[in-house]
Every structure is written in structure tokens, then in C-alpha cells.
Amino acid sequence: MKTNPFKIAPRTLRLLKQVGQLAYQRGENAYAVGGFVRDLFLKSPGMDIDITVEGDGLDFAQALARKMKARVEAFTRFGTSIVIIPGFGKVDVATARTETYETPGSLPVVEKSGIAQDLFRRDFTINAMALNLSSVSFLKLLDPFRGLEDLKKGRIRALHPLSFVDDPTRVFRAVRFEQRFQKKIEPETEKWMLESIRQKSMNTVSGERLRHEFELIFGEAHPERAVKRLGELGVLAYVHPSLGLLVEKRQKLPQLIKTLSFFKKNKIAFEDEEMVWFQTLLLSLSPAQGEGVSKRLMLSRNEQKIVVQSATVYPEMLKTLASKKMPASQLHRLLSPLAPETQCFLMAMATPPVWKKMADYFVKIKNLKPWLRGRDLKAFGIPPGFRYSYILLEALNGQLDGRFKKRPEILRWVKKTFAS
Ligand code: ATP
């Protein structure tokens, strides 16, 4: 048998062997599982490795960390640890476990188990495959639900009819994987999914978990595809009645993508990129609706303020921006106080001429170096005080609007008008 049938990168292979050896020394079994195995078959191996141990995962993680001179971060609640290996990356180590859901949507009750039950608790067949790491069966595939066949046939398939009732966040995961891998949610799975949604299963999920699922979607390469699909499936409206994907919102998605990539290309940094998405999702809502959705998704007070304000203020702003004879200084005055997230949102909502005007602003105006600085005023002997900001602003406006053609003109103006 080939020792590396999956063409795993040499250092990853070495690590998997070391994990297998450690398990052998400890009299336990270790498996690579979940997304790591799926991505190997997709030939797009990720950086993170998920290991499941039939035994004591927490203790195993400590031993692995010692062996690899690594750091371990433990999350004892689910018996999972993250081992951070210098120069390699993250290895998640978990104890093989069953999960039972006492009430739908709640977090599961966890019990130690073997690998078979551990795979059965998983979301989709493509994520329920494992590779044995013990040396006798090194890299032997365990695929009890025929995940490999589903992967090849392009299907996202849940393991049982109540999967989405147990954990409705799997609806988001199904859509996310479907769109990321360009597969299709298998028809029966879609039926189970829709049944659980119509039974209002989303109501059982905490706002924190919902928000997290949205964040994961916004972090995908093509969040717009998943957002659109969630709207079509009716999921958004069940998260909150005001959130259904309106036609208007759907039409804005391509321009949002274009604007986000414009921001990236021009190195305009966001503090919190997901806010742009939340602003778009909450588009056109009344303040009361906006507040309702924000609360449901556990947005902070500040985030709430941003999304509610932008939902109500942006049409007016866009109208003002559309005015034909707007001097550059006014454009600057309107746009510069806004956070990049709000600037991006506005641009995403704009008509093509306003989009172009804003793009020009970012490229040509935003980072313009003012010709007049405070030190110039000092050099003229103007005493520092509130007059400084007035003079500097007037000079900048004149520069932006072309009233001053170059720096010496501004200096002459300052000398004549303000220096006594
Ligand atoms: P990604 O590439 O997005 O990280 P992943 O499959 O690695 O995808 P994780 O969220 O890291 O996703 O989860 C790791 C594994 O844990 C999954 O492959 C799946 O087997 C299992 N899993 C995660 N979330 C759930 C869930 N809600 N229900 C059941 N199994 C889950």
C-alpha cells in the first residue's frame, strides 16, 4: 500500500505520523477527522488539522504539545484543545464523543465514545470521514456514511432526518459548504432542512450562535452567494421576520462585492468588515425593525447604532452625493467623517455615477497631502489657537476645489489675510 496516497505535504505527514506514534505509546487511537479529511479529497488541504482521540483528548493534547514543544489552549467544556505548533499551525485535539440534544438548538450533552459514534454526531457525510493514524492502518479511511461518494457526486447530505432540529446552525453550514464547494444540498437533506426551518427551529438558537454563523459566512470567499441562498430558502425571514432578503437587497449584492474589492485594492482598511455586511442585510429597515434584528443577532450597542443609522440615513446621503455640482471640498466634508465600513456600504448602495464619484474621491482626494500645515502658520507668527483649524480647513478646501493652484499661492493668502 502507498504510504502517502493523498499526497499530504511532507511536514503534515510527519506530524500525523507523530500523532499516531503518540497514540500508540499511550494505548489510544487517534484519527484525523472532519474538514481536514474532506479538504484532502478536494485537493485543497487547509492549514488546520482536526484530531480525534479514542481516549483522553485533553491529556493527549498536553502530551502532543510536550512532544512538539508547542503551546496548548484547552477548552475543557467539549473536551477539545487547540495545540499551537510553532512554524506549523493549529491542531485541534478532541476526545471522541457522542452528543445528545436535550432540547432542540441547545448545546449538546457530551459523553466519551468511540470513533464511530463520534462520526455519527457530525453535520454532513462529507465532514464525517476519518483517517486512522495508527501505524498498522496509517491513513486508512473510515467513511461509514459514504461521504467520499457524496463529495465526488457533489452532494451535501445530512446524516439523519432530525439533524437540523438537533442543531439548526447546520442550516447555515449546509449553505456555506454548498456555496464554497459549488456542490448541491441533496434533495432529502433540503427537505429535512426546510421542515426544521418551518417548524421555527431558528427560534431555539441563541443570538450569539446566529451571529457567529453569519460571521463565518461573511468570511467566505463569496459571502454573497450564501446570503442569496439563505434568502431564497427563507432562512433569513425565520432568523427574524424583518430580515427576509428583499429584491432590493439581492440586487445590491454584486455591487457590494465590487466595492469591497475596490476597498481592498486601494488598501482602505476596515476595522470590522462584517459591519458592511450587517448594514447591507439590514438595508431599508425602519429603526424599530433594525433594532429588533440587531438585538436578535447580538450586535453591540455601537454596532446597533451604526446599522440602524445607516439604514435610515443612507438614501438622503446618496441623494446629496448625487448632486451634480458638488465641489470636492463638500465631498470630502461629507465622506471623511464616516467610518470606512459606512463609506463602503454607501458606495455599495450608490447609482453608477455616484459610485464613480466616490471611487474618484478615494483615489484622488482622500489622501491628498494638505499644502498648508500648522507649522507654516507658526512660522508666520500666528499664535496657536482655534483660528488654526479654520485657516487649515479653508486652505484645504481651496486646494481641493482648485482655488489654489499650488502651495506658494496658499502661503501668500495666509500672509496677506492672517499674518499681521
Ligand atoms: P471549515 O473549513 O469551514 O473550517 P470544517 O468542516 O473544518 O470547515 P469546523 O467548524 O472547523 O468546520 O468543524 C470541524 C468539524 O466538526 C466539521 O468538519 C464537522 O465534522 C464537525 N462539526 C462542526 N460543527 C458542527 C455542527 N454544528 N454539527 C455537527 N458537526 C459539526
Side-chain angles (χ1 to χ4, degrees), residues 34-35 38-39 50 121-123 127 167 169-170 173 176-177 180:
R38 176 198 67 213
D39 292 347
D50 283 340
R121 75 172 171 84
R122 290 173 187 265
D123 47 3
N127 289 340
D167 181 356
T169 64
R170 291 174 187 162
R173 293 178 63 84
R176 192 152 56 82
F177 293 128
R180 184 198 299 170

Side-chain angles (χ1 to χ4, degrees), residues 197-230:
I197 297 168
R198 287 191 198 114
Q199 283 161 17
K200 303 197 165 49
S201 62
M202 283 303 156
N203 292 354
T204 63
V205 184
S206 72
E208 224 168 356
R209 293 185 75 205
L210 279 176
R211 179 187 175 136
H212 180 62
E213 291 303 326
F214 275 107
E215 285 172 351
L216 291 175
I217 282 180
F218 299 156
E220 291 285 321
H222 289 284
E224 76 285 4
R225 294 181 187 160
V227 169
K228 190 163 161 260
R229 183 81 161 114
L230 286 173

Side-chain angles (χ1 to χ4, degrees), residues 404-419:
F404 299 119
K405 302 282 180 271
K406 43 189 139 106
R407 178 172 145 85
E409 283 183 22
I410 296 193
L411 294 179
R412 276 201 295 280
W413 166 73
V414 173
K415 191 168 172 203
K416 197 170 120 205
T417 324
F418 303 100

Side-chain angles (χ1 to χ4, degrees), residues 72-91:
V72 63
E73 287 175 10
F75 294 98
T76 48
R77 180 164 181 184
F78 293 106
T80 331
S81 313
I82 299 175
V83 183
I84 318 268
I85 302 179
F88 183 86
K90 254 177 36 177
V91 179

